[in-house]
C-alpha cells in the first residue's frame, strides 16, 4: 500500500496506527525478553537452592544423629547416678557419645544472596518462597540452643576431667575416652549431674528441631527440583 496515494487525514491516521503497533510490538518484545531473563535467573537460583538444600540435608542428618546419641547418653548417665557399680568401659562409651556436639553450618548462600539483594521474589512459587524463608529464619534459634549446649558440655567435662581422659582422634576418626578413676568418682559429682540434666534438655530440643528441619529441607528440595524446567 502506497501511503502517498491516501487522503491526508487517512494517511496520518494510518501512520499513527503503524507507529502505535510498532511501539506496542517493541514493548511486547522487551517484556518477553525480560520475562525470559527473569525465568532463566529463577532457574539458576532454584538450581543453587537445590544444591544448598542437599548440603543442609546431609549436615542435618548428622546433626540429628549426634543430638539423638547425646540425649540418649545423658539419659543413660542420669539413670545410673545411684548405681553402686557401673562398668567403666560402658561409662566411657556413653561419655564418648555425650561429648559430640552438633556443628550447625547452614549453607544459606543463595537464599542470603537473594534476600540481601531484595530479589527473593524471583522465586515465583509463593509457597516455596515462604517456606524457604521460615526454614532459614529458624536457624538463629537452633544456633542459640546449640551454643548453650556447647557451653554446658564444656563445663560438665571440666568437672570430671580428673577422672576421665579424652584423647586425640584415632585413625577411625573417633576420640578415645578412658575412665581413669572409678565410675562413682564420675557419677557422684553434683555439678556434673546438674549439667547432665541441662544437656538432656538441650539435646532433646535440638533433636526435635533437627528432625523437623530435616523433614522440611527434604520437602523443599523436592519442591524446588519440581520447579526446574
Amino acid at each position: 500500500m502506497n501511503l502517498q496515494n491516501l487522503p491526508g487525514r487517512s494517511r496520518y491516521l494510518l501512520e499513527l496506527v503503524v507507529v502505535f503497533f510498532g511501539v506496542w510490538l517493541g514493548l511486547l518484545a522487551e517484556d518477553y525478553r525480560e520475562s525470559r531473563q527473569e525465568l532463566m535467573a529463577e532457574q539458576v537460583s532454584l538450581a543453587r537452592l537445590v544444591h544448598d538444600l542437599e548440603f543442609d540435608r546431609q549436615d542435618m542428618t548428622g546433626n540429628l544423629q549426634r543430638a539423638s546419641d547425646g540425649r540418649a547418653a545423658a539419659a543413660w548417665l542420669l539413670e545410673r547416678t545411684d548405681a553402686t557399680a557401673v562398668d567403666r568401659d560402658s561409662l566411657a562409651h556413653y561419655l564418648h557419645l555425650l561429648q559430640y556436639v552438633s556443628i550447625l553450618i547452614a549453607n544459606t548462600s543463595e537464599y542470603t544472596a537473594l534476600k540481601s539483594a531484595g530479589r527473593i521474589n524471583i522465586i515465583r512459587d509463593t509457597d516455596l518462597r515462604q517456606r524457604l524463608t521460615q526454614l532459614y529464619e529458624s536457624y538463629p534459634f537452633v544456633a542459640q540452643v546449640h551454643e548453650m549446649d556447647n557451653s554446658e558440655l564444656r563445663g560438665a567435662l571440666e568437672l570430671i576431667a580428673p577422672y576421665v581422659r579424652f584423647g586425640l582422634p584415632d585413625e577411625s576418626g573417633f576420640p578415645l575416652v578412658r575412665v581413669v578413676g572409678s565410675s562413682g568418682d564420675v557419677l557422684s559429682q553434683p555439678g556434673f549431674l546438674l549439667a547432665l540434666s541441662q544437656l538432656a534438655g538441650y539435646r532433646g530440643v535440638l533433636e526435635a528441631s533437627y528432625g523437623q528441619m530435616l523433614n522440611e529441607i527434604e520437602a523443599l528440595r523436592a519442591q524446588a527440583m519440581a520447579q526446574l524446567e
Side-chain angles (χ1 to χ4, degrees), residues 131-151:
R131 290 174 65 185
L132 280 168
T133 299
Q134 290 171 359
L135 171 68
Y136 287 125
E137 294 303 320
S138 69
Y139 273 63
F141 166 75
V142 180
Q144 184 179 12
V145 178
H146 166 72
E147 288 301 319
M148 292 188 293
D149 179 82
N150 280 353
S151 177

Side-chain angles (χ1 to χ4, degrees), residues 87-109:
D87 178 67
R88 288 198 298 180
D89 289 339
S90 296
L91 180 59
H93 171 72
Y94 284 100
L95 288 173
H96 159 78
L97 293 179
L98 183 72
Q99 72 170 319
Y100 279 106
V101 294
S102 301
I103 302 175
L104 187 61
I105 306 175
N107 187 20
T108 63
S109 56

Side-chain angles (χ1 to χ4, degrees), residues 187-209:
L187 296 174
S188 63
Q189 298 296 317
F192 181 61
L193 302 183
L194 179 60
L196 283 176
S197 297
Q198 294 285 355
L199 287 170
Y202 291 145
R203 301 289 169 90
V205 173
L206 289 173
E207 184 179 16
S209 298

